[in-house]
């Protein structure tokens, strides 16, 4: 975020410490010293109070931005434009303090100096005493494509982190960080008064912990079973199995809780959280590296640790009948067996795969892996490629981190750098390959950044092996995601309902659905 620089200059009134000597004269005298005048107040600089960033649709008309400035002393402040930016593209009224486009701002033909559709303007405010303040303003022009929009279909949630279609219904379930699963009807916006499941008393939501993921059994219609990923009151990961109350599609029976897999979390971050069933019915559990900058214990590369991995287990069997915390079987084809490493591991070398998804066409797993200090990435994993090593902490994306690149490490299919630009961010939120009928994003992988609020789409056909798609190739779709109510920001997850509609979850409490623009 651009910084506003303030320069202060203090004016000091000088007051003599010596008493005033008054000459005697006719008419008398007060016989004492005159009162000392008060010091002159120090002048204080003005300040801009409007946001240093703005996003506008391409070809928008009228006022695009209104800037505000105040002076703590109540002085009248003048505003001027500092040359050297993209101010020529705008009409800037320093009296009315408004900015409008001097020409149509065409996303496909950017007129800013960097041709990146981010227009930079510097404004300077000056008070009568000569003190100044500057606003480094960045106006981003968004691409707008007819036919697609977003609507808020749910609100009032508390730190929602995930959404999934509720099998057998038109409803969806929304996971809240503190441990509630709630049922939402997207058609009406109504949230059921009774929770689908409440594990808040058994969940630690400290740091990046909480109720983080859910997966319905592929045979839910008959076995009425689902699984959750949560951190328990000790801060450790538990994968639990539950069943529904008899005769209900909207309420789980908490008494059926069964911890099928658990492992320690050394710290309260990098807990990952997503879980899902592969097309072959095996449960896939991506895990974070245990936290701490740079994976200090080397867990992601260790075959003897479950951290920093993609695990794959068979929840229909039990190879560990004497261990109540390991209620699953080891499927054939995983990366390690016996003394060579933990048999649950399918792939390794990930940092914090917080949000992932399976593509319904290819069956491949797309992994949104949160980066360390420089790079965010998406990895693609075929369920036939056991032993794939995505490189963390040797590599961060395609960049060297703790060592040089080496044979056998697999590069991401998508990568972008840290920053505040239109193709940058700080923390990836992995998405979905959209297979619906909206032409703009059809057959695209749609994902976002939690910090920059950028939402992008990349054709899935471009995401093959031996190639990394970088930020300059992203299609930024923010301009088509302007709901009539609410704001698409702080995206904690994407989700799908049973009709493959794509949803966006904001941790601030809103749920949005991407849909066709209504004529």
């Amino acid at each position: 975020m651009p910084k506003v620089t303030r320069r202060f200059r203090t004016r000091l009134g000088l007051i003599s410490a010596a008493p005033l000597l008054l000459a005697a004269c006719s008419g008398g005298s007060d016989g004492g010293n005159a009162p000392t005048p008060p010091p002159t107040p120090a002048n204080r600089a003005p300040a801009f109070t409007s946001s240093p960033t703005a996003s506008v649709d391409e070809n928008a008309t009228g006022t695009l931005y209104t800037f505000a400035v105040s002076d703590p002393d109540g002085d009248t402040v003048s505003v001027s434009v500092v040359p050297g930016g993209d101010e020529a593209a705008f009409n800037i009224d320093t009296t009315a303090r408004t900015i409008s486009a001097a020409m149509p701002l065409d996303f496909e033909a950017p007129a800013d100096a960097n041709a990146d559709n981010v227009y930079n303007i510097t404004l300077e405010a000056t008070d009568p005493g000569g003190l100044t303040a500057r606003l480094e303003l960045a106006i981003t022009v968004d691409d707008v494509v007819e036919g697609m929009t977003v609507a808020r279909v749910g609100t009032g949630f508390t730190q929602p982190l995930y959404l999934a279609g509720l099998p057998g219904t038109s409803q969806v379930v929304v996971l809240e960080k503190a441990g509630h699963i709630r049922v939402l009807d997207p058609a009406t916006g109504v949230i059921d008064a009774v929770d689908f499941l409440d594990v808040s008393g058994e969940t630690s939501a400290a740091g990046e912990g909480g109720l983080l993921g859910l997966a319905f059994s592929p045979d839910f219609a008959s076995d009425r079973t689902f699984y959750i990923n949560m951190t328990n009151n000790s801060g450790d990961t538990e994968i639990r199995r539950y069943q529904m109350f008899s005769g209900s599609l909207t309420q789980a029976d908490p008494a059926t809780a069964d911890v099928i897999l658990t492992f320690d979390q050394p710290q309260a971050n990098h807990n990952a959280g997503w879980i899902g069933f592969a097309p072959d019915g095996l449960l896939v559990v991506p895990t974070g590296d245990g936290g701490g900058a740079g994976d200090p214990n080397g867990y992601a590369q260790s075959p003897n640790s479950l951290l920093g991995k993609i695990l794959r287990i068979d929840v229909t069997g039990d190879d560990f009948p004497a261990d109540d915390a390991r209620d699953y079987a080891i499927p054939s084809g995983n990366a390690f067996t016996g003394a060579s490493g933990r048999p649950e591991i399918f792939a390794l070398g990930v940092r914090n795969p917080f949000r992932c998804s399976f593509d319904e066409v290819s069956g491949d797993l797309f992994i949104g892996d949160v980066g360390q200090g420089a790079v965010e990435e998406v990895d693609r994993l075929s369920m036939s490629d056991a032993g794939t090593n995505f490189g963390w902490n040797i590599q961060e994306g395609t960049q060297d981190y703790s060592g040089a690149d080496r044979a056998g490490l697999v590069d991401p299919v998508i990568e972008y750098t840290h920053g505040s630009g239109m193709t940058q961010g700080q923390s990836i939120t992995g998405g979905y390959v959209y297979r619906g009928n909206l032409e703009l994003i059809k057959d695209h992988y749609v994902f976002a950044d939690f910090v920059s609020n950028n939402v992008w789409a990349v054709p899935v056909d471009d995401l093959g092996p031996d190639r990394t798609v970088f930020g300059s190739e992203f299609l930024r779709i923010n301009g088509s995601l302007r709901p009539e109510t609410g704001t698409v920001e702080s995206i904690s997850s994407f989700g799908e309902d049973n009709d493959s509609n794509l949803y966006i979850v904001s941790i601030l409490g809103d749920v949005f659905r991407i849909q066709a623009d209504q004529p």
Side-chain angles (χ1 to χ4, degrees), residues 435-450:
R435 297 294 187 177
N437 296 320
L438 297 173
E439 288 301 322
L440 177 63
I441 58 173
K442 182 178 175 61
D443 300 327
H444 283 58
Y445 178 72
V446 180
F447 63 109
D449 187 89
F450 179 80

Side-chain angles (χ1 to χ4, degrees), residues 53 76 91 129 135 149 213 235 294 350 384 408 420 427 476 497 515 519:
T53 62
T76 300
N91 294 319
L135 174 65
T149 188
V350 291
S384 62
S420 58
S427 179
R476 186 173 184 269
D497 63 17
Q515 60 190 36

Side-chain angles (χ1 to χ4, degrees), residues 30 53 65 116 126 130 178 228 296 315 384 494 496:
D30 64 4
T53 62
Y65 180 86
D116 62 357
T126 307
I228 64 171
V315 295
S384 62
F494 291 82
E496 288 186 323

